[in-house]
Amino acid sequence: MIEDSVLGPYQEIITARAKDKKIRGKSQDGGIVSAMLIYALEENIIDGTIVAGEGDEPWTAEPKIATTKKEILKAAGTRYTMCPNIALIKEATRSYGLEKIATIGTPCQVMGIRKMQAYPMGVRNVTDKIALSIGIYCMENFPYESLKTFICDRAGTTPAQVTKMNISKGKLFIKHTNAEEPFAIPIKETHGYEQSGCNYCLDYVAELSDFSCGSVGAKDGWSTIIKRTNKGTNLINDAIDNGILELTETNEGKFGLEMLRKLSANKKKKNQKRIDKKLDMGLKIPFTHSSKKEDVLENR
């Protein structure tokens, strides 16, 4: 186990993608999350998962329980808005009778899962049924109204006409049916539109997950996977051995792992300054009940 102050604890970092072209075609980047959920389901490692499905309006997100390959693929892709996946954990166990649940979440959601497992107040006999925690890289997330501002006011289209959104190379790309090329918004121009809690989060790469993944550090169509726990590492290795995932060389340079480390370090540094400023003002902040700066990281 490597104890890394920037990327969190991990065993190995690899670059991979789903071997199944149909899965990749429905997914955001390398299709890792969808492929691993389907593999875990077929191997009886899990009997269901909580996914971020589409809500009543285009590009809204709603937590849903998936127990089949078809349901998992229906929820594939990224929606850059909040989705309270954790809210369905009780229902997954009690209404659906799931005994081995997979969860997929942003760093803050993974943190919530681990806190529930450590202190299962109100969720007894539930958290021990969480069989797998998958984390996705996240710098910040947006309320739906912010997304509509990007789509309608900036890109000049409507949510119903958007076919894909992606954050890459410092820009938010909005692909829609009214133009051949995606509309690009520099990420620096989206600051101020994110949900406020994102400004106090110190985790970019879901450090507490079984494994985490995202497109940063990988070439187009591939994903960077950080194997963290024994459970996550063994699952990824088995998927590779059984031809579910295929590997490519991991880029250690400026546009590879150096970029991943840079973004993770920048999030910690930037948001720690915000935390310190609030504490200096005597204000409470998320993730801690301490009034001492040195305790923020320990108790977050």
Side-chain angles (χ1 to χ4, degrees):
M1 178 70 73
I2 299 171
E3 296 292 340
D4 192 302
S5 62
V6 175
L7 299 179
Y10 69 89
Q11 298 188 25
E12 186 182 14
I13 300 177
I14 62 172
T15 304
R17 69 180 182 183
K19 203 166 185 178
D20 189 327
K21 292 182 180 180
K22 291 182 180 179
I23 292 178
R24 296 206 307 267
K26 292 180 176 292
S27 301
Q28 188 74 10
D29 298 296
I32 300 299
V33 172
S34 297
M36 294 309 302
L37 289 175
I38 293 168
Y39 176 68
L41 187 66
E42 292 176 344
E43 293 297 311
N44 200 33
I45 296 167
I46 63 171
D47 51 17
T49 181
I50 302 171
V51 296
E54 188 167 21
D56 295 333
E57 296 183 57
W59 294 99
T60 56
E62 181 181 336
K64 296 183 179 181
I65 296 168
T67 58
T68 66
K69 177 179 179 179
K70 182 178 180 180
E71 290 172 340
I72 290 171
L73 287 177
K74 188 176 180 180
T78 299
R79 298 171 180 85
Y80 292 101
T81 189
M82 290 93 77
C83 187
N85 288 10
I86 299 175
L88 278 194
I89 288 181
K90 278 189 178 181
E91 183 175 347
T93 61
R94 296 176 182 177
S95 299
Y96 285 74
L98 301 185
E99 294 290 330
K100 296 174 289 186
I101 309 166
T103 61
I104 313 100
T106 56
C108 59
Q109 290 174 321
V110 174
M111 188 185 303
I113 290 288
R114 297 311 191 200
K115 286 186 176 182
M116 288 170 62
Q117 290 176 316
Y119 304 100
M121 297 180 64
V123 286
R124 294 186 184 278
N125 303 316
V126 173
T127 53
D128 59 343
K129 294 179 172 62
I130 298 172
L132 181 66
S133 175
I134 302 175
I136 52 179
Y137 305 161
C138 179
M139 184 64 71
E140 56 202 9
N141 208 348
F142 302 101
Y144 183 62
E145 290 304 315
S146 294
L147 278 190
K148 287 179 69 176
T149 297
F150 303 151
I151 293 168
C152 301
D153 297 348
R154 296 295 302 274
T157 187
T158 65
Q161 293 171 312
V162 174
T163 57
K164 188 172 184 177
M165 284 188 279
N166 189 42
I167 294 177
S168 177
K169 301 174 182 177
K171 294 180 181 179
L172 169 63
F173 292 94
I174 301 174
K175 186 177 181 180
H176 58 92
T177 57
N178 292 337
E180 292 184 4
E181 296 296 324
F183 183 83
I185 304 174
I187 287 298
K188 63 182 179 181
E189 295 179 14
T190 69
H191 295 326
Y193 289 89
E194 69 275 1
Q195 60 177 344
S196 60
C198 296
N199 293 319
Y200 304 97
C201 176
L202 302 173
D203 187 355
Y204 175 62
V205 289
E207 298 173 23
L208 301 180
S209 60
D210 289 312
F211 73 85
S212 55
C213 62
S215 63
V216 176
K219 57 187 177 182
D220 290 345
W222 295 77
S223 299
T224 305
I225 303 175
I226 305 179
K227 305 176 189 177
R228 298 191 180 280
T229 65
N230 289 338
K231 181 187 298 181
T233 297
N234 292 338
L235 182 62
I236 293 292
N237 291 345
D238 288 345
I240 294 169
D241 292 341
N242 286 284
I244 304 301
L245 302 182
E246 57 184 353
L247 301 175
T248 190
E249 183 180 0
T250 297
N251 181 356
E252 302 279 350
K254 181 178 179 181
F255 298 105
L257 295 189
E258 284 186 23
M259 176 62 69
L260 185 63
R261 294 183 65 84
K262 178 181 178 181
L263 291 177
S264 184
N266 284 350
K267 182 174 184 179
K268 291 180 185 295
K269 183 178 180 180
K270 177 180 67 175
N271 287 351
Q272 185 64 59
K273 286 183 178 180
R274 291 193 175 108
I275 289 170
D276 289 345
K277 183 176 180 180
K278 291 288 186 181
L279 293 175
D280 284 340
M281 296 170 65
L283 300 175
K284 293 182 179 180
I285 59 169
F287 310 138
T288 179
H289 296 291
S290 172
S291 60
K292 299 178 181 179
K293 295 180 189 177
E294 58 269 25
D295 292 339
V296 170
L297 279 174
E298 182 179 349
N299 296 318
R300 65 187 170 93

